[in-house]
Amino acid sequence: MTPALPRTDRGRVLLVLALATLVTLFTATVPLLRDWFDLRVYYGSIDSWVHHGGRVYDYRVPGTPYGFTYPPFAAVAMLPMALLGLHAAIAVALLLNLAALAVVLRLLAGPDWRRHGWYGWALTACLLALFEPLRDTFSFGQVNLLLLALVLADATLLATGRGRLAGVGIGLAAAIKLTPALFIGLLLVAGRRRAAAVATAVAAGATALAAGVDPDASRFYWTEALWDTDRVGRLGYVSNQSVQGVLARLGEPDRAVWAVAVLLVLGVWALRTRRAAAAGDWTAAFALTGLAACLVSPITWVHHLVWLLPSFAVLVRAGRPRVAGALYGVLCTSVVWLWFDDASGVDGFLGSNTYAWITLGLLLWLPVGQLRPGLRTGSRSTSTTTAAPVPTAPAISPASVQTDPCTAAATAGGVVTAGRAGAGGAPSEPTASTFPADPKPQSSSERASSYTADPSPS
């Protein structure tokens, strides 16, 4: 029998306080802290570049072989860090990630975001703190949430009939990190050539700006650093949950096999995103593109999987909160780290790639074209496409909530709308519970990250 949830404000306050306490204890004691390793890479590279006459791509975190791996425009965008000390930069990064997360949740919730109230959003905040990709993003000082917010801003513009302004967010995200460039492909597949042109122009302009600021760094990146996978990390490292990571753990080094697998993934992605865009379901189209980008990228560390968040929102909107809750729960467990030392055998093949299987399953079976009743999306012409009525996605309301904690999190942040009718114009690290004792203990005071043993912070 499902336990009853509190229906009074006092009971809800007590539940939220209890959950917040448990989450705080969990995050403070169970997962290994990443000690802002990626942010230290960014900060050290910018500090060396600006204050010590060094080159962006020459800097290495002391005691490690890892340095800056993003395109030159990312370094230009991070130049304000040169005005800050390291601790101030960490504080700013935390605030920026919190703001980006708030933007992401607001965009995924759509116009109905107020219906969840303080209770729904408080439960969501507690449960999001357990999501491994998200907690690693904060702990590493990563940039993926900021990129996701930029990309979803364009999705919202397209969904609300303001497509003339779309493309800027995608272009900036692609200039900072190459993976979001697949969203330009989405715009082309969907026939939104103007938005694709805007995104391409913004990305090219930002890249040209970086070349003007530091021509030598741009030359080195596009001719050497981009093609040197050793700068990023070992492909077979368990945190790499891409197709390439799966093949590397199988001992399959042939790039031709990987290329065929990537083409198959892209074929499925093109078919499914075209269908979603034709139905005006831009949230699903962008969710599918995030899934495909994680699969086809040579390296997709666990913290990159914040790109899966829109998929959970789509599942809840489509009336499948139990599925969303179950998959979300698995992604909170750090289960892949059980095979950190040995990914051989059937259990290793299945278990060490758990997150990759979830990403692939969502790409194949994520519901598309199921818009909420009474809503429609902007189209390329002056007409709009009206969605067929479907049951309203469950949501946390003052009267009740989902009983499954992970389901509640997905629900509170997952009521995705396409706009009102007539709207105008490690890498992750293992938790202590799954990672065997390290010969070089990595407490927050004496180690940078597990990157020092395997992958780098790209």
Side-chain angles (χ1 to χ4, degrees):
M1 174 178 282
T2 301
L5 292 172
R7 294 179 177 274
T8 65
D9 283 343
R10 183 174 182 274
R12 289 171 179 162
V13 169
L14 291 176
L15 176 60
V16 169
L17 289 176
L19 282 176
T21 300
L22 291 174
V23 168
T24 300
L25 290 173
F26 173 80
T27 54
T29 60
V30 178
L32 291 176
L33 297 178
R34 280 57 172 171
D35 202 25
W36 322 107
F37 185 83
D38 289 17
L39 183 63
R40 290 176 185 275
V41 172
Y42 309 151
Y43 183 86
S45 299
I46 298 303
D47 181 67
S48 173
W49 182 30
V50 174
H51 297 301
H52 303 288
R55 298 193 302 177
V56 174
Y57 295 101
D58 285 348
Y59 174 82
R60 296 292 184 272
V61 174
T64 82
Y66 305 116
F68 202 80
T69 60
Y70 292 162
F73 179 71
V76 173
M78 294 177 186
L79 275 175
M81 281 198 295
L83 303 175
L84 305 174
L86 177 60
H87 292 94
I90 290 172
V92 171
L94 274 173
L95 292 175
L96 287 175
N97 271 325
L98 285 171
L101 179 59
V103 170
V104 167
L105 294 177
R106 172 66 178 84
L107 294 176
L108 292 178
D112 293 333
W113 67 276
R114 289 187 181 85
R115 67 183 291 187
H116 307 302
W118 71 268
Y119 183 44
W121 289 113
L123 290 179
T124 300
C126 289
L127 296 170
L128 282 173
L130 300 177
F131 189 54
E132 184 179 2
L134 195 60
R135 66 179 189 247
D136 280 355
T137 291
F138 276 87
S139 190
F140 274 124
Q142 256 287 340
V143 300
N144 292 297
L145 271 177
L146 298 169
L147 304 184
L148 179 58
L150 286 172
V151 167
L152 287 180
D154 277 349
T156 302
L157 290 174
L158 292 167
T160 53
R162 292 173 288 176
R164 291 180 64 84
L165 302 176
V168 175
I170 291 173
L172 288 173
I176 293 172
K177 196 170 183 179
L178 296 181
T179 305
L182 186 59
F183 288 90
I184 300 178
L186 163 62
L187 297 174
L188 292 173
V189 167
R192 303 306 293 260
R193 293 181 178 84
R194 173 172 165 58
V198 170
T200 302
V202 169
T207 301
L209 172 64
V213 172
D214 192 335
D216 185 59
S218 292
R219 180 202 59 76
F220 177 78
Y221 178 80
W222 294 110
T223 62
E224 298 184 44
L226 176 61
W227 315 104
D228 182 6
T229 57
D230 291 338
R231 293 180 59 90
V232 183
R234 183 166 59 87
L235 294 176
Y237 187 57
V238 74
S239 183
N240 185 12
Q241 292 292 306
S242 68
V243 169
Q244 180 75 291
V246 174
L247 293 174
R249 283 185 287 278
L250 277 175
E252 177 51 70
D254 192 340
R255 289 298 182 91
V257 175
W258 172 70
V260 170
V262 165
L263 289 175
L264 290 174
V265 168
L266 290 177
V268 172
W269 162 78
L271 290 173
R272 303 214 71 216
T273 52
R274 181 174 298 173
R275 176 187 170 192
D281 191 352
W282 287 103
T283 304
F286 273 69
L288 289 166
T289 304
L291 294 168
C294 289
L295 289 170
V296 303
S297 175
I299 288 184
T300 296
W301 304 129
V302 169
H303 62 258
H304 294 162
L305 298 179
V306 293
W307 290 96
L308 271 60
L309 286 174
S311 298
F312 295 122
V314 172
L315 284 171
V316 175
R317 181 199 64 188
R320 302 182 187 181
R322 293 181 184 274
V323 175
L327 297 179
Y328 184 92
V330 173
L331 283 160
C332 293
T333 63
S334 301
V335 64
V336 297
W337 297 102
L338 291 170
W339 290 270
F340 175 80
D341 288 320
D342 183 8
S344 62
V346 175
D347 66 315
F349 176 67
L350 296 177
S352 68
N353 302 311
T354 299
Y355 296 170
W357 303 141
I358 290 175
T359 307
L360 180 60
L362 287 170
L363 179 68
L364 293 172
W365 293 297
L366 188 73
V368 300
Q370 300 184 25
L371 304 180
R372 299 186 65 222
L375 298 175
R376 61 184 182 180
T377 65
S379 66
R380 280 173 289 169
S381 64
T382 56
S383 63
T384 57
T385 302
T386 304
V390 296
T392 303
I396 293 177
S397 66
S400 64
V401 296
Q402 298 292 332
T403 57
D404 186 325
C406 287
T407 301
T411 301
V415 181
V416 185
T417 61
R420 296 189 181 278
S428 188
E429 296 179 4
T431 63
S433 61
T434 61
F435 185 35
D438 194 303
K440 296 180 180 178
Q442 296 179 328
S443 67
S444 59
S445 62
E446 55 188 357
R447 63 94 183 93
S449 162
S450 65
Y451 282 130
T452 60
D454 278 294
S456 72
S458 67

